[in-house]
Amino acid sequence: MEMAGERLDKVLAGSLPDYSRNRLKTWVEAGAVMVDGKVTKARYLLRGGESIKVFPQEMPEQFAFSPENIPLDVVYEDDSIIVINKPPGLVVHPAAGNWSGTLLNGLLFRYPELKSLPRAGIVHRLDKDTSGLMVVARTAQAQTALVRQLQERTVGRRYLAWVWGNAPSQGKVLASVGRDQRDRLKMAAGSPQGKPAATVFRRLAKGEFLESPVALLECRLETGRTHQIRVHLESLGFPLLGDPVYRKKTPGAAKTLPFERQALHAFALSLQHPVHHELVSWFRLPPTDLMTLIPQLGMTESDLPQEAATLASIHHEIPASS
Protein backbone atom coordinates (compact mmCIF):
# COMPACT_ATOMS: atom_id res chain seq x y z
CA MET A 1 0.00 0.00 0.00
CA GLU A 2 3.04 2.27 -0.28
CA MET A 3 1.61 3.87 -3.43
CA ALA A 4 -1.78 4.68 -1.97
CA GLY A 5 -2.70 8.33 -2.48
CA GLU A 6 0.27 9.01 -4.77
CA ARG A 7 -0.08 10.41 -8.28
CA LEU A 8 0.76 8.03 -11.09
CA ASP A 9 3.39 10.35 -12.61
CA LYS A 10 5.20 10.66 -9.25
CA VAL A 11 5.26 6.89 -8.78
CA LEU A 12 6.60 6.39 -12.30
CA ALA A 13 9.35 8.97 -11.76
CA GLY A 14 10.43 7.24 -8.56
CA SER A 15 10.33 3.76 -10.06
CA LEU A 16 11.96 4.64 -13.41
CA PRO A 17 14.70 7.18 -12.56
CA ASP A 18 16.49 6.61 -15.89
CA TYR A 19 13.68 8.41 -17.72
CA SER A 20 12.74 12.08 -17.43
CA ARG A 21 9.37 13.14 -16.04
CA ASN A 22 8.47 14.67 -19.39
CA ARG A 23 9.19 11.43 -21.21
CA LEU A 24 7.14 9.41 -18.74
CA LYS A 25 4.28 11.90 -19.01
CA THR A 26 4.41 11.58 -22.80
CA TRP A 27 4.12 7.80 -22.49
CA VAL A 28 1.11 8.14 -20.20
CA GLU A 29 -0.61 10.55 -22.60
CA ALA A 30 0.14 8.18 -25.48
CA GLY A 31 -1.61 5.32 -23.68
CA ALA A 32 1.63 3.42 -23.13
CA VAL A 33 1.08 3.15 -19.35
CA MET A 34 -1.74 1.01 -17.99
CA VAL A 35 -3.10 0.74 -14.47
CA ASP A 36 -4.95 -2.53 -13.88
CA GLY A 37 -5.21 -2.91 -17.64
CA LYS A 38 -6.68 0.55 -18.24
CA VAL A 39 -5.21 3.71 -19.74
CA THR A 40 -5.38 6.63 -17.32
CA LYS A 41 -3.96 10.12 -16.76
CA ALA A 42 -0.66 11.21 -15.28
CA ARG A 43 -2.36 12.83 -12.28
CA TYR A 44 -4.39 9.71 -11.48
CA LEU A 45 -4.31 8.95 -7.73
CA LEU A 46 -3.39 5.37 -6.95
CA ARG A 47 -5.32 3.40 -4.33
CA GLY A 48 -2.48 0.97 -3.67
CA GLY A 49 -1.98 -2.56 -4.88
CA GLU A 50 -2.66 -1.78 -8.54
CA SER A 51 -0.76 -3.43 -11.38
CA ILE A 52 1.13 -0.85 -13.44
CA LYS A 53 2.48 -1.80 -16.86
CA VAL A 54 4.75 0.48 -18.86
CA PHE A 55 5.39 0.00 -22.57
CA PRO A 56 8.49 2.14 -23.39
CA GLN A 57 8.09 4.20 -26.55
CA GLU A 58 10.68 5.50 -28.94
CA MET A 59 11.05 9.26 -28.58
CA PRO A 60 11.47 11.66 -31.50
CA GLU A 61 14.84 12.88 -30.22
CA GLN A 62 16.22 9.36 -30.66
CA PHE A 63 16.21 10.06 -34.40
CA ALA A 64 17.72 13.56 -34.12
CA PHE A 65 21.06 12.45 -35.54
CA SER A 66 19.71 10.09 -38.18
CA PRO A 67 20.82 10.66 -41.80
CA GLU A 68 18.01 11.86 -44.08
CA ASN A 69 18.09 12.39 -47.82
CA ILE A 70 17.34 16.13 -47.77
CA PRO A 71 18.32 18.19 -50.84
CA LEU A 72 21.17 20.60 -50.05
CA ASP A 73 22.34 23.57 -52.11
CA VAL A 74 26.10 23.15 -51.71
CA VAL A 75 27.86 26.32 -52.83
CA TYR A 76 31.38 25.10 -52.09
CA GLU A 77 33.15 22.16 -50.50
CA ASP A 78 36.66 20.89 -49.95
CA ASP A 79 38.27 18.54 -47.45
CA SER A 80 37.85 21.04 -44.59
CA ILE A 81 34.66 23.05 -45.03
CA ILE A 82 31.24 23.02 -46.68
CA VAL A 83 29.29 26.16 -47.58
CA ILE A 84 25.52 25.74 -47.80
CA ASN A 85 22.91 28.09 -49.23
CA LYS A 86 20.07 27.32 -46.81
CA PRO A 87 16.51 27.67 -48.12
CA PRO A 88 13.78 29.25 -46.00
CA GLY A 89 11.80 26.74 -43.96
CA LEU A 90 14.73 24.46 -43.18
CA VAL A 91 15.61 24.10 -39.50
CA VAL A 92 19.36 23.96 -38.90
CA HIS A 93 19.64 21.74 -35.82
CA PRO A 94 17.22 19.23 -34.23
CA ALA A 95 15.31 20.51 -31.20
CA ALA A 96 11.89 20.19 -29.60
CA GLY A 97 9.28 20.26 -32.35
CA ASN A 98 11.84 19.56 -35.07
CA TRP A 99 13.61 16.30 -34.30
CA SER A 100 13.97 15.37 -37.96
CA GLY A 101 14.06 16.97 -41.39
CA THR A 102 16.80 19.41 -40.42
CA LEU A 103 19.98 20.61 -42.12
CA LEU A 104 21.95 18.42 -39.72
CA ASN A 105 20.06 15.31 -40.86
CA GLY A 106 20.75 16.18 -44.48
CA LEU A 107 24.45 16.77 -43.80
CA LEU A 108 24.80 13.36 -42.13
CA PHE A 109 23.27 11.69 -45.19
CA ARG A 110 25.53 13.44 -47.69
CA TYR A 111 28.65 13.49 -45.51
CA PRO A 112 28.55 10.44 -43.18
CA GLU A 113 31.95 11.34 -41.70
CA LEU A 114 30.34 14.32 -39.94
CA LYS A 115 28.83 11.97 -37.35
CA SER A 116 32.18 12.09 -35.51
CA LEU A 117 32.00 15.87 -35.05
CA PRO A 118 29.95 17.79 -32.47
CA ARG A 119 26.70 18.97 -34.06
CA ALA A 120 27.86 17.38 -37.32
CA GLY A 121 30.27 20.25 -37.90
CA ILE A 122 27.68 23.04 -37.60
CA VAL A 123 29.31 26.11 -36.03
CA HIS A 124 26.60 28.76 -36.46
CA ARG A 125 22.97 28.87 -37.47
CA LEU A 126 20.24 30.75 -39.28
CA ASP A 127 16.63 30.96 -38.14
CA LYS A 128 14.28 28.46 -39.77
CA ASP A 129 12.74 31.04 -42.10
CA THR A 130 15.92 33.01 -42.81
CA SER A 131 17.65 31.97 -46.02
CA GLY A 132 21.28 32.19 -47.03
CA LEU A 133 24.87 31.17 -46.56
CA MET A 134 26.28 29.02 -43.76
CA VAL A 135 29.63 27.32 -43.28
CA VAL A 136 29.99 23.81 -41.85
CA ALA A 137 33.24 22.26 -40.64
CA ARG A 138 34.31 18.93 -42.08
CA THR A 139 37.15 18.16 -39.65
CA ALA A 140 37.82 18.76 -35.97
CA GLN A 141 40.67 21.11 -36.91
CA ALA A 142 38.38 23.17 -39.14
CA GLN A 143 35.64 23.25 -36.52
CA THR A 144 38.02 24.58 -33.88
CA ALA A 145 39.34 27.23 -36.29
CA LEU A 146 35.87 28.37 -37.35
CA VAL A 147 34.58 28.55 -33.78
CA ARG A 148 37.59 30.67 -32.88
CA GLN A 149 36.94 33.03 -35.78
CA LEU A 150 33.31 33.38 -34.74
CA GLN A 151 34.36 34.13 -31.17
CA GLU A 152 36.88 36.70 -32.38
CA ARG A 153 34.22 38.19 -34.69
CA THR A 154 36.34 37.86 -37.80
CA VAL A 155 33.74 35.92 -39.82
CA GLY A 156 32.00 38.36 -42.16
CA ARG A 157 28.24 37.91 -42.38
CA ARG A 158 26.12 40.30 -44.41
CA TYR A 159 22.37 40.16 -44.80
CA LEU A 160 19.68 41.72 -46.96
CA ALA A 161 16.68 42.86 -44.91
CA TRP A 162 13.45 44.38 -46.20
CA VAL A 163 11.83 46.52 -43.50
CA TRP A 164 8.78 48.69 -42.94
CA GLY A 165 9.33 52.41 -42.42
CA ASN A 166 11.55 55.28 -43.54
CA ALA A 167 14.89 53.82 -42.50
CA PRO A 168 17.88 56.22 -42.44
CA SER A 169 20.71 55.94 -44.95
CA GLN A 170 22.89 54.17 -42.40
CA GLY A 171 23.17 53.37 -38.72
CA LYS A 172 24.47 51.12 -36.00
CA VAL A 173 22.52 49.41 -33.23
CA LEU A 174 24.31 48.77 -29.96
CA ALA A 175 21.86 46.99 -27.68
CA SER A 176 22.13 43.78 -25.71
CA VAL A 177 19.96 40.91 -26.84
CA GLY A 178 18.49 38.45 -24.37
CA ARG A 179 15.39 36.46 -23.57
CA ASP A 180 12.21 38.56 -23.33
CA GLN A 181 11.11 38.43 -19.70
CA ARG A 182 7.42 38.64 -20.64
CA ASP A 183 7.52 36.12 -23.48
CA ARG A 184 10.13 33.37 -23.20
CA LEU A 185 9.70 32.47 -26.87
CA LYS A 186 10.99 35.88 -27.95
CA MET A 187 14.22 37.83 -27.63
CA ALA A 188 14.40 41.49 -26.61
CA ALA A 189 16.77 44.38 -27.24
CA GLY A 190 18.20 46.11 -24.19
CA SER A 191 17.57 43.11 -21.94
CA PRO A 192 19.47 43.50 -18.61
CA GLN A 193 20.34 39.79 -18.75
CA GLY A 194 21.21 39.94 -22.44
CA LYS A 195 24.58 39.72 -24.17
CA PRO A 196 26.23 42.66 -25.96
CA ALA A 197 25.19 42.88 -29.60
CA ALA A 198 26.03 45.18 -32.51
CA THR A 199 24.43 45.46 -35.95
CA VAL A 200 25.61 47.89 -38.64
CA PHE A 201 23.29 48.73 -41.54
CA ARG A 202 23.05 50.87 -44.66
CA ARG A 203 20.05 51.58 -46.83
CA LEU A 204 20.24 50.27 -50.38
CA ALA A 205 16.82 51.33 -51.65
CA LYS A 206 13.46 52.86 -50.77
CA GLY A 207 10.06 51.64 -51.89
CA GLU A 208 6.47 51.31 -50.75
CA PHE A 209 3.64 48.82 -50.49
CA LEU A 210 0.07 50.16 -50.50
CA GLU A 211 1.43 53.63 -49.65
CA SER A 212 3.38 52.29 -46.65
CA PRO A 213 7.12 53.04 -46.90
CA VAL A 214 9.58 50.16 -47.05
CA ALA A 215 13.36 49.99 -47.33
CA LEU A 216 16.00 47.48 -48.34
CA LEU A 217 18.89 47.36 -45.87
CA GLU A 218 22.25 45.65 -45.94
CA CYS A 219 23.07 44.53 -42.40
CA ARG A 220 26.43 43.44 -41.09
CA LEU A 221 26.73 41.46 -37.87
CA GLU A 222 29.48 42.31 -35.42
CA THR A 223 28.03 39.75 -33.00
CA GLY A 224 25.80 36.74 -33.57
CA ARG A 225 22.92 36.66 -31.10
CA THR A 226 19.66 34.79 -31.58
CA HIS A 227 17.23 36.87 -33.71
CA GLN A 228 19.71 39.77 -33.52
CA ILE A 229 18.85 41.58 -36.77
CA ARG A 230 15.11 41.07 -36.31
CA VAL A 231 15.19 42.36 -32.73
CA HIS A 232 17.55 45.26 -33.39
CA LEU A 233 15.65 46.61 -36.38
CA GLU A 234 12.30 46.26 -34.63
CA SER A 235 13.72 48.22 -31.68
CA LEU A 236 14.37 51.11 -34.10
CA GLY A 237 10.82 50.94 -35.42
CA PHE A 238 11.71 49.09 -38.63
CA PRO A 239 10.30 45.54 -38.34
CA LEU A 240 11.08 43.10 -41.13
CA LEU A 241 8.45 42.46 -43.76
CA GLY A 242 6.64 39.20 -43.08
CA ASP A 243 8.10 38.69 -39.60
CA PRO A 244 5.48 36.73 -37.62
CA VAL A 245 7.06 37.48 -34.23
CA TYR A 246 8.69 40.93 -34.13
CA ARG A 247 5.90 43.16 -35.45
CA LYS A 248 5.88 46.43 -33.48
CA LYS A 249 5.03 49.38 -35.76
CA THR A 250 4.03 47.06 -38.58
CA PRO A 251 1.51 48.97 -40.76
CA GLY A 252 -1.92 47.72 -41.74
CA ALA A 253 -0.65 47.10 -45.26
CA ALA A 254 1.19 44.06 -43.88
CA LYS A 255 -2.12 42.18 -43.74
CA THR A 256 -2.24 42.05 -47.54
CA LEU A 257 1.47 41.57 -48.16
CA PRO A 258 2.02 38.32 -50.13
CA PHE A 259 4.94 37.24 -47.98
CA GLU A 260 4.82 35.00 -44.93
CA ARG A 261 8.33 34.83 -43.46
CA GLN A 262 10.82 37.40 -42.24
CA ALA A 263 12.33 39.05 -45.32
CA LEU A 264 15.92 38.26 -44.39
CA HIS A 265 18.64 36.63 -46.49
CA ALA A 266 22.32 36.00 -45.60
CA PHE A 267 23.77 36.94 -48.98
CA ALA A 268 27.50 37.19 -48.14
CA LEU A 269 29.90 35.09 -46.08
CA SER A 270 33.65 35.58 -45.67
CA LEU A 271 36.21 33.85 -43.48
CA GLN A 272 39.81 32.77 -43.24
CA HIS A 273 40.14 29.28 -44.65
CA PRO A 274 41.08 26.96 -41.74
CA VAL A 275 43.84 25.21 -43.75
CA HIS A 276 45.47 27.58 -46.25
CA HIS A 277 44.44 30.70 -44.24
CA GLU A 278 43.42 32.76 -47.27
CA LEU A 279 40.40 35.03 -47.00
CA VAL A 280 37.54 33.43 -48.96
CA SER A 281 34.10 34.85 -49.65
CA TRP A 282 30.83 33.72 -51.18
CA PHE A 283 27.72 35.57 -52.35
CA ARG A 284 24.24 34.36 -53.27
CA LEU A 285 21.13 36.05 -54.59
CA PRO A 286 17.96 35.87 -52.47
CA PRO A 287 15.63 32.92 -53.18
CA THR A 288 12.67 33.13 -55.54
CA ASP A 289 10.13 34.34 -52.98
CA LEU A 290 12.18 37.44 -52.20
CA MET A 291 13.14 38.08 -55.82
CA THR A 292 9.42 37.97 -56.72
CA LEU A 293 8.63 40.43 -53.92
CA ILE A 294 11.15 43.07 -55.07
CA PRO A 295 9.10 44.62 -57.91
CA GLN A 296 5.97 44.63 -55.75
CA LEU A 297 7.79 47.02 -53.43
CA GLY A 298 8.74 49.44 -56.19
CA MET A 299 12.34 48.20 -56.24
CA THR A 300 14.48 46.51 -58.89
CA GLU A 301 17.16 43.84 -58.85
CA SER A 302 19.72 46.56 -59.53
CA ASP A 303 19.12 47.75 -55.95
CA LEU A 304 20.81 44.58 -54.67
CA PRO A 305 24.54 44.75 -53.82
CA GLN A 306 26.59 44.07 -56.93
CA GLU A 307 28.36 41.17 -55.23
CA ALA A 308 25.09 39.32 -54.66
CA ALA A 309 24.52 39.03 -58.38
CA THR A 310 27.91 37.50 -59.11
CA LEU A 311 26.79 34.13 -57.75
CA ALA A 312 30.44 33.30 -57.05
CA SER A 313 33.29 33.95 -54.65
CA ILE A 314 35.46 37.02 -55.15
CA HIS A 315 38.38 34.66 -54.64
CA HIS A 316 39.34 31.47 -56.43
CA GLU A 317 36.36 29.37 -55.53
CA ILE A 318 36.81 25.64 -56.12
CA PRO A 319 33.68 24.16 -57.74
CA ALA A 320 31.61 22.02 -55.40
CA SER A 321 32.10 18.33 -56.06
CA SER A 322 29.07 16.43 -57.19
Side-chain angles (χ1 to χ4, degrees):
M1 299 295 288
E2 293 179 1
M3 298 185 297
E6 296 284 358
R7 283 174 44 144
L8 174 60
D9 54 359
K10 183 178 179 181
V11 171
L12 290 174
S15 303
L16 302 169
D18 291 339
Y19 299 98
S20 69
R21 286 178 177 266
N22 283 338
R23 176 169 296 192
L24 293 170
K25 181 180 178 181
T26 300
W27 289 354
V28 174
E29 293 173 346
V33 177
M34 306 187 77
V35 179
D36 283 342
K38 296 180 180 179
V39 174
T40 185
K41 296 183 179 181
R43 61 177 181 271
Y44 175 79
L45 293 179
L46 297 168
R47 300 185 307 274
E50 291 100 329
S51 169
I52 301 174
K53 292 185 178 180
V54 179
F55 302 89
Q57 304 293 297
E58 293 179 326
M59 299 298 284
E61 58 264 39
Q62 291 177 247
F63 304 100
F65 282 75
S66 298
E68 295 181 52
N69 189 5
I70 297 172
L72 299 178
D73 181 4
V74 178
V75 172
Y76 170 86
E77 64 178 11
D78 60 25
D79 292 339
S80 300
I81 61 174
I82 306 159
V83 177
I84 302 288
N85 187 22
K86 188 187 86 66
L90 180 63
V91 174
V92 170
H93 195 275
N98 293 285
W99 290 117
S100 62
T102 70
L103 173 63
L104 182 145
N105 300 112
L107 287 169
L108 289 174
F109 182 89
R110 182 159 177 164
Y111 308 97
E113 70 273 15
L114 294 181
K115 65 182 179 182
S116 64
L117 296 178
R119 293 185 173 235
I122 295 172
V123 294
H124 67 123
R125 59 185 290 273
L126 294 174
D127 294 337
K128 174 184 177 181
D129 289 324
T130 296
S131 56
L133 296 168
M134 292 180 57
V135 63
V136 177
R138 210 166 177 179
T139 66
Q141 176 192 5
Q143 190 165 31
T144 299
L146 292 174
V147 169
R148 183 179 298 115
Q149 289 185 55
L150 287 163
Q151 292 173 339
E152 295 174 351
R153 303 178 185 177
T154 57
V155 175
R157 288 171 290 172
R158 293 156 61 194
Y159 295 72
L160 295 173
W162 283 261
V163 301
W164 295 106
N166 289 303
S169 61
Q170 60 184 5
K172 183 173 184 177
V173 189
L174 290 170
S176 63
V177 173
R179 191 68 58 183
D180 189 317
Q181 297 302 302
R182 291 171 294 182
D183 185 346
R184 303 299 294 175
L185 298 179
K186 297 174 62 176
M187 306 301 286
S191 170
Q193 291 78 35
K195 296 180 180 180
T199 304
V200 178
F201 68 88
R202 68 183 179 105
R203 190 185 66 226
L204 300 176
K206 289 183 177 182
E208 67 174 34
F209 181 76
L210 296 182
E211 300 184 350
S212 292
V214 296
L216 169 59
L217 306 181
E218 178 186 323
C219 300
R220 179 168 55 83
L221 290 182
E222 292 188 357
T223 55
R225 311 303 180 199
T226 300
H227 298 178
Q228 178 176 317
I229 292 176
R230 299 165 65 187
V231 170
H232 271 176
L233 293 180
E234 184 201 41
S235 73
L236 296 182
F238 308 121
L240 270 68
L241 273 65
D243 196 321
V245 178
Y246 302 99
R247 303 176 56 83
K248 291 179 183 177
K249 296 191 177 181
T250 297
K255 296 179 181 179
T256 56
L257 180 75
F259 202 77
E260 299 181 351
R261 69 170 177 98
Q262 62 266 15
L264 189 62
H265 173 69
F267 82 96
L269 174 70
S270 61
L271 53 92
Q272 184 182 55
H273 193 280
V275 175
H276 56 66
H277 307 301
E278 291 183 15
L279 178 66
V280 287
S281 303
W282 299 269
F283 304 92
R284 280 300 179 271
L285 281 169
T288 302
D289 61 349
L290 276 170
M291 296 298 286
T292 301
L293 181 66
I294 289 175
Q296 299 179 59
L297 305 176
M299 301 177 184
T300 67
E301 293 183 20
S302 63
D303 293 321
L304 299 173
Q306 183 177 0
E307 308 100 311
T310 64
L311 296 179
S313 168
I314 59 175
H315 291 281
H316 301 292
E317 181 174 326
I318 305 171
S321 60
S322 58

